[in-house]
């Protein structure tokens, strides 16, 4: 088993975070696990639509971090929004949305 296959197997443990680009790029998502101090803050985004409208699937890396028990939910690290592993090309993509379509 090569490293790409090992990493793909590792990612498979996070299958519940394998979501469409549209889901990942929604402004002001609501999460079960949010810091209590920000959980009820009003969404200030003018848009209620996803930044990208696509059924393309990738991993929501923000959600993976948010659900990791060793990371303080009120002190989350800055992460990319999505991860995509292209097994054929052996390339790992880090996706970041900046609030602009």
């Amino acid at each position: 088993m090569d490293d790409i296959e090992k990493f793909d197997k590792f990612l498979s443990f996070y299958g519940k975070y394998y979501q469409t680009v549209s889901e990942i790029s929604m402004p002001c998502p609501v999460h079960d696990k949010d810091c209590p101090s920000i959980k009820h803050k009003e969404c200030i985004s003018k848009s209620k639509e996803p930044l990208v409208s696509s059924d393309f699937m990738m991993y929501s890396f923000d959600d993976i971090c948010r659900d990791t028990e060793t990371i303080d939910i009120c002190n989350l690290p800055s992460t990319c929004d999505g991860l995509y592993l292209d097994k054929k090309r052996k390339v790992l993509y880090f996706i970041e949305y900046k609030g602009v379509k």
Side-chain angles (χ1 to χ4, degrees), residues 19 28-35 39 60 62-63 66 73:
Q19 302 171 350
C28 304
V30 176
H31 301 284
D32 292 334
K33 287 190 171 183
D34 265 333
C35 180
K39 192 169 196 130
S60 175
D62 283 336
D63 288 336
R66 186 173 274 104
I73 196 67

Side-chain angles (χ1 to χ4, degrees), residues 11-55:
L11 283 178
S12 72
F13 289 104
Y14 296 99
K16 71 178 183 178
Y17 303 108
Y18 196 60
Q19 302 171 350
T20 66
V21 170
S22 294
E23 291 173 292
I24 295 170
S25 70
M26 279 297 290
C28 304
V30 176
H31 301 284
D32 292 334
K33 287 190 171 183
D34 265 333
C35 180
S37 65
I38 64 166
K39 192 169 196 130
H40 301 292
K41 283 190 176 179
E42 185 179 344
C43 179
I44 58 170
S45 175
K46 294 177 183 173
S47 174
K48 303 300 180 213
E49 300 294 320
L51 293 170
V52 179
S53 182
S54 174
D55 290 333

Side-chain angles (χ1 to χ4, degrees), residues 2 4 47 53 65-66 93:
D2 69 11
I4 294 295
S47 174
S53 182
C65 288
R66 186 173 274 104
Y93 293 90

Side-chain angles (χ1 to χ4, degrees), residues 57-75:
M57 301 289 287
M58 64 181 173
Y59 290 92
S60 175
F61 194 56
D62 283 336
D63 288 336
I64 290 172
C65 288
R66 186 173 274 104
D67 206 23
T68 300
E69 292 180 15
T70 56
I71 298 175
D72 178 4
I73 196 67
C74 292
N75 192 24

